[in-house]
């Protein structure tokens, strides 16, 4: 058996616009300047409190970062409900997930900086609740690139890290995979550049979801 663990934001769903809008409104609520989109994209994948602390230029999560985290969470669903801020699947993702989930020797899971509630919403919206065998979220484990999300999914699924691949768009996903002893596939349609993904340890960078299927057939069969 093999295990494929997918990141969510920037890998399966195009949520950058939504995350940035919620983050920008949060900063404004605390009389701070809206961060640029490039800054928001650079922290997508991290656990929210750590992401906000980093945008504030702080090494550790302080009281302000915690207060801003609570505010972000309180307004997220409302912003998501507004027209133009839905978390849509990237093109080709639905077909890829359907193809991979039909393989008897492959289990599929999710490793995400989202909250458990956020992952549940995505899973139910797009039918992934029937596909994800294991999952770990920001509510369960330390923030990426700590390897706990991967190692815990491997343990729960009964599959070694060497038989596991992590698919993600962030350098944190690649670093997490390598720290856990798993393979790492970067995706070119997310929020990190291809050179950054390669430098962070990606074994392969997929240009389209179909590339992931092809890589799995040759390297993870």
């Amino acid at each position: 058996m093999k295990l494929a663990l997918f990141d969510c934001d920037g890998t399966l769903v195009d949520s950058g616009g939504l995350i940035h809008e919620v983050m920008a409104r949060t900063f404004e609520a605390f009389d701070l300047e809206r961060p640029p989109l490039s800054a928001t994209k650079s922290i997508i994948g991290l656990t929210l409190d750590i992401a906000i602390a980093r945008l504030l230029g702080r090494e550790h999560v302080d009281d302000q970062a915690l207060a801003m985290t609570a505010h972000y969470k309180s307004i997220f669903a409302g912003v998501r409900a507004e027209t133009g801020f839905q978390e849509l699947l990237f093109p080709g993702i639905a077909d890829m997930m359907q193809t991979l989930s039909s393989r008897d020797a492959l289990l599929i899971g999710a490793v995400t900086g989202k909250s458990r509630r956020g992952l549940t919403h995505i899973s139910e919206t797009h039918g992934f609740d029937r596909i994800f065998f294991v999952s770990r979220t920001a509510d369960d484990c330390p923030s990426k690139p700590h390897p706990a999300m991967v190692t815990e999914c491997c343990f729960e699924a009964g599959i070694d890290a060497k038989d596991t691949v992590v698919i993600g768009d962030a350098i944190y996903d690649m670093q997490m995979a390598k720290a856990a002893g798993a393979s790492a596939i970067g995706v070119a349609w997310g929020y990190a550049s291809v050179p950054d993904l390669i430098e962070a340890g990606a074994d392969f960078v997929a240009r389209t979801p179909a590339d992931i299927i092809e890589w799995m057939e040759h390297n993870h069969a």
Side-chain angles (χ1 to χ4, degrees), residues 16-35:
L18 169 62
I19 292 170
H20 178 62
E21 183 63 22
V22 180
M23 191 68 76
R25 293 187 194 186
T26 298
F27 270 64
E28 287 179 336
F30 284 78
D31 296 321
L32 298 168
E33 195 173 319
R34 289 170 69 108

Side-chain angles (χ1 to χ4, degrees), residues 124-203:
E124 291 176 350
T125 299
H126 299 296
F128 294 158
D129 46 347
R130 300 184 303 275
I131 293 176
F132 291 144
F133 180 78
V134 288
S135 61
R136 288 296 185 275
T137 71
D139 295 331
D140 309 313
C141 295
S143 179
K144 301 173 184 181
H146 193 285
M149 288 189 188
V150 177
T151 56
E152 288 189 17
C153 282
C154 288
F155 181 78
E156 184 178 332
I159 296 176
D160 288 342
K162 65 180 174 57
D163 294 317
T164 299
V165 60
V166 175
I167 302 100
D169 72 297
I171 59 172
Y172 317 115
D173 297 309
M174 306 300 100
Q175 293 166 341
M176 174 178 68
K178 293 290 130 181
S183 299
I185 294 179
V187 303
W189 56 84
Y191 307 135
S193 70
V194 171
D196 285 347
L197 291 169
I198 293 170
E199 187 178 339
D203 297 298

